[in-house]
Amino acid sequence: MRSILFLYAMCFFATAQAQPDIPAQIAARKYDPASLMWYSKPATKWVEALPIGNGRLGAMVYGKADEEIIQFNEDTYWSGGPYSTTVQGAKAHLKDVQDAVFKGDLRQASDMFGRYMMGYPVEQMKYQPMGTINLFYTDTSGTSGQMRWLDLSTGIAGSSFKRKGVQYEETIFAAHDEPGVFMRIKADRPGALSFRIELRGVRNQTHSNYATDYFHMDGDGQDGLVLTGKSADYLAVKGALRYEARLKVKPVGGKMYVKGHELFVEGADAVTMVLLAETNFVNYKDVSGDAHARVEADWARLKEKDHDRLLQDHMNAHAAMFSRASLNLPTSTSCWLPTDERMAANEHSADPNLAALAYQFGRYVLMCSSRPGTQPANLQGIWNEDSNPAWDSKYTTNINTQMNYWAVESANLSDCFDPLWKMMKEMQDQGSDVAQEHYGARGWVLHQNTDIWRVAAPMDGPTWGTFTVGGAWLMNECYEHWKYTRDTAFLKEYFPVLQGSVDFFLDFLVPHPNGKWMVTNPSTSPENFPLSPGNGRYYDETTGSFIPGTTTVAAMKHGRNSIGYEVDPTYAKAA
């Protein structure tokens, strides 16, 4: 069970740490334009919000002066529960599919693969949003000077604005080595802070089969809010995850009370909050954890800790990781513009340093979404507001998962690779079942997608599902890790997994009728519809939709099978 967001407002107003004064730095142009993103207006939609995260907990911060919104995720909160997509005995149809490919009847091969060899269910589970913190200021009139920022070098997001002569400032961070998201709001006039807060859950409003999910919003004494719920059933897979998120609030001055599921702060000088979140996830086949007990343990660990000490510890740990790599490129006058204006200006006025900011932002989001002990970065890292996200926000292993980690070694973030490596080891479980039942092969195989439950069978449809090389491709990423680290202990652990991938292809490869090649059949080139007689637009029975053409083929490369060409040298070098 993982931590759900537990926000406890601890407001100890010591200022021992040297937290940067970002608004002053922006005004004086005394900041690094390759590590600071800032804007002169709040986010109006989710994609404009600023991300923070510690690998397990992620949040998107809007920086609004009327209704502040902080949307949050916990990396183990997905739909469904432990399940398998392996189809027993699917290998009985493999020879017929291969024969159809060799005869050039790609449509028939695709239809047979779709009918007999696709995993079941054909789709997989979805990464889910957990909730939002909605903070409503009591007085919203006369607002000016709005600004928000994300300091990549410290991992702190913030915002500020002026209202009726009072300056307000908010800072928020996902603690680098602690199980919480921490926020502080302060005003430069005593007694000026008044607002109410809701800790809101999320339900799927589109699919009727998500009616099995639920959440409850409650008060937690007179100083907090709590959100509890369960994951949704999906594709006849029971929603097995339970979660708890808790928000604790501590004001300096004024008064605070809870009414129903809302928390009110009136006339405070400053407020500190902490958000914790957990689920009952233990691993991909075990959901026996206790979300509530985990949140209790998280809170017991944090409740006596000073906010400023936590902030300083976070800044030190984050900076130690972030500062491992730098990229220095020439600056220009555009560097000092708000980031959205800076990007627009780059269209007509060169801003070489913008590439350095993009590079560091890429390092930052990987740092925030993939840490030892967490899940790997999914299609959206760790951030998702949608119960039905694009491509389910899972792990697309026909290029996207690999892309997430292409720079992990060269960007000097080698420890961020750990969650991907752990996933690859876990993939051997169902991957070996699929290798045997679908292909009659030894070893293990991974197709073009997986999810938190580590399913391995073909999915979506034969146009995509015949991609048998997802695991082999990821083995190359593992080899890159060894080449950078020269970690012999890792190599000893890695080699048997690599050998399992190689064993699969040694059994799966078949002779091409021309006698020249050993090929993977069936196979696919993602999104590439080969020009061949009869391969045009058709209605596919697996997906129930029109397809531009099948991608099901037998793969080869320069007279050698593409997988043998790429994996065997890796295997030989690792050996």
Side-chain angles (χ1 to χ4, degrees):
M1 174 172 98
R2 305 280 294 206
S3 321
I4 227 176
L5 283 161
F6 189 6
L7 190 57
Y8 187 39
M10 304 188 283
C11 184
F12 315 76
F13 231 65
T15 55
Q17 79 290 341
Q19 181 183 348
D21 184 346
I22 299 299
Q25 291 182 355
I26 291 172
R29 296 185 175 182
K30 298 292 186 180
Y31 63 90
D32 179 5
S35 64
L36 183 70
M37 301 168 63
W38 71 279
Y39 303 83
S40 58
K41 52 185 176 293
T44 59
K45 51 189 176 182
W46 185 82
V47 294
E48 295 174 353
L50 296 171
I52 58 172
N54 62 8
R56 189 179 62 81
L57 301 177
M60 294 289 280
V61 184
Y62 281 63
K64 298 174 69 176
D66 50 0
E67 177 195 353
E68 172 63 301
I69 300 172
I70 300 164
Q71 184 273 323
F72 62 88
N73 296 88
E74 200 276 348
D75 73 342
T76 66
Y77 185 49
W78 292 62
S79 63
Y83 74 113
S84 172
T85 56
T86 306
V87 174
Q88 302 297 315
K91 60 189 174 186
H93 302 278
L94 176 60
K95 182 66 164 55
D96 292 338
V97 172
Q98 291 173 331
D99 288 346
V101 170
F102 284 144
K103 291 175 183 177
D105 194 344
L106 304 185
R107 179 82 58 81
Q108 182 186 9
S110 183
D111 287 347
M112 285 193 296
F113 190 94
R115 184 173 294 191
Y116 301 117
M117 298 189 67
M118 291 297 300
Y120 188 83
V122 173
E123 299 295 329
Q124 296 175 0
M125 299 298 112
K126 301 171 184 285
Y127 182 51
Q128 297 290 280
M130 185 168 281
T132 61
I133 300 169
N134 297 74
L135 187 152
F136 303 87
Y137 286 97
T138 302
D139 182 1
T140 61
S141 61
T143 302
S144 63
Q146 287 190 256
M147 179 185 297
R148 62 191 177 100
W149 60 87
L150 174 61
D151 187 345
L152 305 179
S153 67
T154 63
I156 300 172
S159 62
S160 63
F161 60 89
K162 181 168 284 191
R163 179 173 290 146
K164 296 180 178 178
V166 179
Q167 186 71 27
Y168 297 82
E169 184 170 303
E170 166 195 310
T171 53
I172 181 169
F173 63 96
H176 190 280
D177 295 319
E178 298 288 357
V181 174
F182 300 85
M183 181 165 68
R184 171 180 283 168
I185 305 174
K186 62 182 181 179
D188 66 359
R189 180 184 299 169
L193 273 177
S194 295
F195 53 79
R196 66 181 176 89
I197 304 176
E198 292 183 2
L199 184 60
R200 295 178 177 175
V202 182
R203 285 196 70 186
N204 192 299
Q205 300 295 315
T206 302
H207 293 297
S208 60
N209 60 355
Y210 273 70
T212 54
D213 64 343
Y214 68 80
F215 61 82
H216 294 158
M217 300 159 51
D218 295 295
D220 184 42
Q222 289 300 304
D223 65 349
L225 301 171
V226 64
L227 173 70
T228 55
K230 71 173 288 290
S231 62
D233 299 357
Y234 187 53
L235 304 173
V237 178
K238 294 293 185 183
L241 292 173
R242 305 295 184 269
Y243 65 84
E244 179 174 325
R246 196 181 302 175
L247 175 65
K248 287 290 189 178
V249 182
K250 185 173 183 179
V252 171
K255 66 177 181 178
M256 175 177 63
Y257 60 93
V258 172
K259 184 177 181 180
H261 63 264
E262 296 179 312
L263 183 146
F264 295 82
V265 171
E266 297 176 354
D269 304 338
V271 175
T272 307
M273 296 178 269
V274 59
L275 174 65
L276 301 173
E278 294 281 355
T279 77
N280 61 326
F281 181 90
V282 177
N283 59 48
Y284 66 101
K285 52 187 177 182
D286 183 354
V287 290
S288 64
D290 184 331
H292 176 71
R294 286 178 170 176
V295 168
E296 287 289 307
D298 292 343
W299 180 233
R301 170 176 172 164
L302 294 173
K303 64 183 179 181
E304 300 300 329
K305 293 188 177 183
D306 178 80
H307 178 87
D308 289 327
R309 181 72 261 166
L310 288 164
L311 175 63
Q312 188 64 58
D313 290 347
H314 162 77
M315 290 172 59
N316 293 341
H318 182 94
M321 194 172 187
F322 184 82
S323 63
R324 294 175 190 169
S326 61
L327 177 59
N328 299 312
L329 295 173
T331 59
S332 67
T333 56
S334 299
C335 287
W336 315 111
L337 294 173
T339 304
D340 52 343
E341 297 178 25
R342 181 181 180 185
M343 293 175 66
N346 188 57
E347 295 293 322
H348 51 78
S349 178
D351 181 1
N353 188 264
L354 185 60
L357 177 62
Y359 171 72
Q360 293 291 21
F361 182 68
R363 295 181 68 244
Y364 170 84
V365 293
L366 186 58
M367 284 176 55
C368 292
S369 60
S370 184
R371 300 272 184 88
T374 74
Q375 296 299 308
N378 62 47
L379 275 176
Q380 296 179 188
I382 197 176
W383 303 275
N384 171 38
E385 67 159 350
D386 193 347
S387 297
N388 301 296
W391 297 283
D392 305 326
S393 192
K394 51 185 187 294
Y395 304 101
T396 301
T397 52
N398 66 2
I399 192 169
N400 302 103
T401 300
Q402 291 86 343
M403 290 173 69
N404 280 350
Y405 288 88
W406 277 346
V408 68
E409 306 297 339
S410 63
N412 210 355
L413 297 174
S414 190
D415 37 355
C416 293
F417 172 80
D418 182 75
L420 183 66
W421 169 232
K422 181 180 179 183
M423 183 177 81
M424 296 315 301
K425 291 185 289 184
E426 293 172 343
M427 290 311 309
Q428 296 176 97
D429 191 340
Q430 291 201 37
S432 60
D433 291 343
V434 174
Q436 177 59 41
E437 293 298 329
H438 287 241
Y439 302 102
R442 298 169 299 155
W444 63 276
V445 61
L446 171 61
H447 294 79
Q448 93 282 19
N449 270 283
T450 190
D451 57 24
I452 197 172
W453 311 113
R454 306 303 187 244
V455 295
M459 60 88 62
D460 276 344
T463 291
W464 308 273
T466 49
F467 188 81
T468 54
V469 299
W473 194 349
L474 285 167
M475 285 295 93
N476 285 335
E477 303 304 316
C478 296
Y479 184 62
E480 286 295 307
H481 178 70
W482 178 76
K483 287 200 298 183
Y484 271 85
T485 64
R486 296 293 169 172
D487 183 344
T488 55
F490 168 77
L491 184 61
K492 290 177 181 178
E493 187 179 13
Y494 159 60
F495 188 78
V497 185
L498 173 63
Q499 181 173 339
S501 179
V502 171
D503 285 345
F504 169 77
F505 286 103
L506 292 175
D507 289 354
F508 181 51
L509 290 168
V510 293
H512 191 278
N514 66 15
K516 298 179 181 179
W517 305 317
M518 295 291 288
V519 299
T520 52
N521 179 10
S523 188
T524 183
S525 178
E527 315 297 334
N528 178 29
F529 304 96
L531 292 175
S532 60
N535 189 24
R537 186 172 183 265
Y538 74 104
Y539 189 79
D540 174 46
E541 70 176 29
T542 303
T543 60
S545 63
F546 281 99
I547 302 294
T550 181
T551 64
T552 303
V553 293
M556 70 288 292
K557 179 177 180 180
H558 300 307
R560 304 177 68 178
N561 170 261
S562 59
I563 301 308
Y565 187 82
E566 298 296 335
V567 171
D568 284 351
T570 298
Y571 179 79
K573 292 174 185 176

